[in-house]
Amino acid sequence: MAWTLTGGGSHDQADWTPDNGDVVAGVHTAVRTFMVLAGRTVYVAPRTATDTGFGTFEVQARSIYIAGTLDAQGAGFGGGGGGGGGGGGTTFDGTPPTCFLGDALVEIPGGRLVRLAELQVGDVVVGAYGEPNEVLALDRPRLGGRPIYRLNGDHYTTGEHPHLTGDGFKAVTPEDLAREWGFDHTVELAGGRLVSRRNVGLERKVGRLKVGDRLLWTRGGVAVARRLDTLELTFMDPATQLYNLVLAGSHTYRVDGYVATGWPREDDFDYDTWEAK
């Protein structure tokens, strides 16, 4: 059966670029590239008493590019989520968007896994290649109405969070890093004190993460390459609490086994030699 805008279905590996004003819902599978172009707004159909499938929207695609606006306002999720590429997209309410869910598992020295939400300032996590990195501050915004992405069915991330791959750092929607890096954001220090800190970011280009890429992943404490087999866009309650860490050292940590950044910067760490400057 053919797919429909609000009923979902398989796209048989074809690209999907919704038109401006399209209303979407349901689970859309086998999409090659999902794109919301700059200047276009695509709306998630709101939940109703008769259309219980509305108010949900999920895309399983090889790659995703949101330069316009994907608006879930009134669909049961709150605000809209969008990308920054091409000058489009919806503002992320001034909060730092790069984060994970609180139940994500983070590796600490000794090989033990702890929930990300339980980590505190002063704790130590394991970096990409086993190096210890101290937690300097906590970054804890709300999700809002923006989408969240599920990698390989077992790891949730916001679109712009860089992950380490065999080809360097990549993110699902790297264009959105322009909203975060180089700006001041509120973080939490020991004792719950809130301060403003500059998220410096990387000087090097962050690539676009897509199905087929090989992510650095850890199994039994050993780093291996894991293929990205599935990439899904979905929405959650806008009140969902997100979590990230401001880290010392290599500014990386292992989240659900994947290597991700924790406020990276290149003025004090060399990512080519993987050594402190």
Side-chain angles (χ1 to χ4, degrees):
M1 184 175 65
W3 66 273
T4 63
L5 284 174
T6 57
S10 174
H11 291 244
D12 296 324
Q13 297 303 320
D15 292 339
W16 182 23
T17 306
D19 291 328
N20 187 43
D22 274 355
V23 177
V24 298
V27 178
H28 295 258
T29 63
V31 179
R32 186 171 182 269
T33 300
F34 176 70
M35 297 178 286
V36 179
L37 300 180
R40 295 186 183 183
T41 299
V42 177
Y43 300 93
V44 178
R47 293 189 178 103
T48 67
T50 55
D51 294 307
T52 56
F54 288 5
T56 61
F57 180 58
E58 181 177 307
V59 177
Q60 300 172 12
R62 183 175 183 273
S63 61
I64 295 171
Y65 183 78
I66 302 178
T69 300
L70 183 58
D71 191 350
Q73 180 70 36
F77 301 103
T90 299
T91 301
F92 291 155
D93 301 323
T95 58
T98 301
C99 290
F100 305 111
L101 299 180
D103 286 336
L105 295 178
V106 175
E107 184 178 343
I108 63 174
R112 194 159 64 89
L113 300 177
V114 299
R115 293 178 64 249
L116 177 53
E118 296 174 3
L119 290 167
Q120 299 297 321
V121 174
D123 288 341
V124 175
V125 299
V126 177
Y129 295 103
E131 66 279 6
N133 293 328
E134 182 183 356
V135 179
L136 302 178
L138 307 175
D139 179 8
R140 295 182 170 180
R142 300 285 181 176
L143 176 62
R146 49 203 162 100
I148 196 164
Y149 300 85
R150 185 166 57 223
L151 310 185
N152 284 339
D154 60 10
H155 176 58
Y156 286 91
T157 177
T158 51
E160 62 293 308
H161 204 133
H163 289 67
L164 190 56
T165 75
D167 297 314
F169 290 106
K170 292 188 176 184
V172 178
T173 55
E175 59 275 1
D176 290 330
L177 287 167
R179 299 171 180 269
E180 179 175 6
W181 287 352
F183 294 95
D184 293 334
H185 301 288
T186 300
V187 297
E188 182 180 331
L189 301 182
R193 185 163 65 96
L194 300 179
V195 298
S196 182
R197 289 287 187 268
R198 177 65 53 87
N199 191 347
V200 177
L202 297 171
E203 300 169 8
R204 64 194 60 213
K205 180 181 179 180
V206 175
R208 184 174 302 280
L209 187 63
K210 59 185 182 299
V211 169
D213 284 339
R214 303 192 73 81
L215 293 136
L216 190 63
W217 188 69
T218 53
R219 173 181 293 166
V222 178
V224 298
R226 181 178 180 184
R227 187 180 186 275
L228 180 60
D229 289 321
T230 61
L231 171 60
E232 302 165 77
L233 175 155
T234 190
F235 283 91
M236 291 183 174
D237 189 310
T240 299
Q241 181 71 62
L242 299 181
Y243 299 82
N244 192 18
L245 304 175
V246 181
L247 296 172
S250 68
H251 316 291
T252 63
Y253 60 128
R254 298 172 177 180
V255 185
D256 296 325
Y258 301 90
V259 174
T261 58
W263 283 49
R265 53 195 303 163
E266 296 189 59
D267 58 347
D268 65 0
F269 195 82
D270 189 329
Y271 289 98
D272 293 319
T273 63
W274 214 266
E275 294 176 333
K277 292 184 176 179

mmCIF file of all heavy atoms in Angstrom, residues 79-97:
data_model
loop_
_atom_site.group_PDB
_atom_site.id
_atom_site.type_symbol
_atom_site.label_atom_id
_atom_site.label_comp_id
_atom_site.label_asym_id
_atom_site.label_seq_id
_atom_site.Cartn_x
_atom_site.Cartn_y
_atom_site.Cartn_z
ATOM 1 N N GLY A 79 5.974 23.423 21.139
ATOM 2 C CA GLY A 79 6.606 24.213 20.079
ATOM 3 C C GLY A 79 7.074 23.470 18.866
ATOM 4 O O GLY A 79 6.868 22.289 18.717
ATOM 5 N N GLY A 80 7.755 24.141 17.947
ATOM 6 C CA GLY A 80 8.249 23.540 16.726
ATOM 7 C C GLY A 80 9.723 23.275 16.807
ATOM 8 O O GLY A 80 10.433 23.885 17.580
ATOM 9 N N GLY A 81 10.198 22.377 15.977
ATOM 10 C CA GLY A 81 11.623 22.115 15.904
ATOM 11 C C GLY A 81 12.096 22.275 14.494
ATOM 12 O O GLY A 81 11.405 21.876 13.563
ATOM 13 N N GLY A 82 13.256 22.854 14.313
ATOM 14 C CA GLY A 82 13.731 23.063 12.959
ATOM 15 C C GLY A 82 15.224 23.152 12.911
ATOM 16 O O GLY A 82 15.891 23.270 13.928
ATOM 17 N N GLY A 83 15.782 23.125 11.712
ATOM 18 C CA GLY A 83 17.212 23.235 11.543
ATOM 19 C C GLY A 83 17.614 24.643 11.200
ATOM 20 O O GLY A 83 16.799 25.466 10.817
ATOM 21 N N GLY A 84 18.911 24.924 11.329
ATOM 22 C CA GLY A 84 19.397 26.251 11.078
ATOM 23 C C GLY A 84 19.972 26.434 9.696
ATOM 24 O O GLY A 84 20.320 27.535 9.307
ATOM 25 N N GLY A 85 20.140 25.360 8.923
ATOM 26 C CA GLY A 85 20.756 25.467 7.613
ATOM 27 C C GLY A 85 19.960 26.360 6.692
ATOM 28 O O GLY A 85 18.740 26.350 6.685
ATOM 29 N N GLY A 86 20.653 27.171 5.903
ATOM 30 C CA GLY A 86 19.992 28.031 4.953
ATOM 31 C C GLY A 86 19.243 29.177 5.587
ATOM 32 O O GLY A 86 18.474 29.872 4.944
ATOM 33 N N GLY A 87 19.472 29.402 6.886
ATOM 34 C CA GLY A 87 18.856 30.540 7.551
ATOM 35 C C GLY A 87 17.448 30.268 8.027
ATOM 36 O O GLY A 87 16.782 31.157 8.558
ATOM 37 N N GLY A 88 16.930 29.055 7.880
ATOM 38 C CA GLY A 88 15.569 28.761 8.310
ATOM 39 C C GLY A 88 15.559 28.152 9.683
ATOM 40 O O GLY A 88 16.515 28.186 10.428
ATOM 41 N N GLY A 89 14.429 27.556 10.036
ATOM 42 C CA GLY A 89 14.345 26.822 11.281
ATOM 43 C C GLY A 89 13.676 27.610 12.385
ATOM 44 O O GLY A 89 13.484 28.805 12.305
ATOM 45 N N THR A 90 13.350 26.902 13.451
ATOM 46 C CA THR A 90 12.669 27.486 14.586
ATOM 47 C C THR A 90 13.646 27.648 15.732
ATOM 48 O O THR A 90 14.451 26.775 16.000
ATOM 49 C CB THR A 90 11.510 26.569 15.035
ATOM 50 O OG1 THR A 90 10.596 26.443 13.949
ATOM 51 C CG2 THR A 90 10.789 27.132 16.237
ATOM 52 N N THR A 91 13.588 28.770 16.425
ATOM 53 C CA THR A 91 14.489 29.031 17.535
ATOM 54 C C THR A 91 14.277 28.012 18.646
ATOM 55 O O THR A 91 13.162 27.639 18.967
ATOM 56 C CB THR A 91 14.231 30.447 18.083
ATOM 57 O OG1 THR A 91 14.440 31.376 17.022
ATOM 58 C CG2 THR A 91 15.165 30.770 19.221
ATOM 59 N N PHE A 92 15.391 27.600 19.269
ATOM 60 C CA PHE A 92 15.330 26.610 20.323
ATOM 61 C C PHE A 92 15.219 27.268 21.704
ATOM 62 O O PHE A 92 15.831 26.838 22.663
ATOM 63 C CB PHE A 92 16.590 25.737 20.291
ATOM 64 C CG PHE A 92 16.661 24.838 19.094
ATOM 65 C CD1 PHE A 92 17.882 24.402 18.633
ATOM 66 C CD2 PHE A 92 15.520 24.416 18.431
ATOM 67 C CE1 PHE A 92 17.971 23.562 17.538
ATOM 68 C CE2 PHE A 92 15.603 23.577 17.342
ATOM 69 C CZ PHE A 92 16.833 23.145 16.887
ATOM 70 N N ASP A 93 14.470 28.361 21.816
ATOM 71 C CA ASP A 93 14.156 29.017 23.085
ATOM 72 C C ASP A 93 15.392 29.431 23.861
ATOM 73 O O ASP A 93 15.351 29.556 25.081
ATOM 74 C CB ASP A 93 13.295 28.094 23.980
ATOM 75 C CG ASP A 93 12.005 27.710 23.297
ATOM 76 O OD1 ASP A 93 11.433 28.550 22.583
ATOM 77 O OD2 ASP A 93 11.581 26.571 23.466
ATOM 78 N N GLY A 94 16.529 29.632 23.188
ATOM 79 C CA GLY A 94 17.721 30.120 23.841
ATOM 80 C C GLY A 94 18.443 29.089 24.678
ATOM 81 O O GLY A 94 19.407 29.408 25.373
ATOM 82 N N THR A 95 18.010 27.845 24.670
ATOM 83 C CA THR A 95 18.663 26.823 25.480
ATOM 84 C C THR A 95 19.668 26.056 24.644
ATOM 85 O O THR A 95 19.491 25.873 23.447
ATOM 86 C CB THR A 95 17.642 25.822 26.050
ATOM 87 O OG1 THR A 95 16.942 25.216 24.964
ATOM 88 C CG2 THR A 95 16.654 26.511 26.963
ATOM 89 N N PRO A 96 20.767 25.589 25.254
ATOM 90 C CA PRO A 96 21.721 24.789 24.507
ATOM 91 C C PRO A 96 21.093 23.465 24.082
ATOM 92 O O PRO A 96 20.622 22.714 24.927
ATOM 93 C CB PRO A 96 22.871 24.565 25.497
ATOM 94 C CG PRO A 96 22.355 24.941 26.825
ATOM 95 C CD PRO A 96 21.167 25.817 26.632
ATOM 96 N N PRO A 97 21.029 23.175 22.801
ATOM 97 C CA PRO A 97 20.225 22.043 22.343
ATOM 98 C C PRO A 97 20.913 20.694 22.360
ATOM 99 O O PRO A 97 20.273 19.685 22.198
ATOM 100 C CB PRO A 97 19.886 22.435 20.896
ATOM 101 C CG PRO A 97 21.049 23.260 20.463
ATOM 102 C CD PRO A 97 21.511 24.001 21.688
#
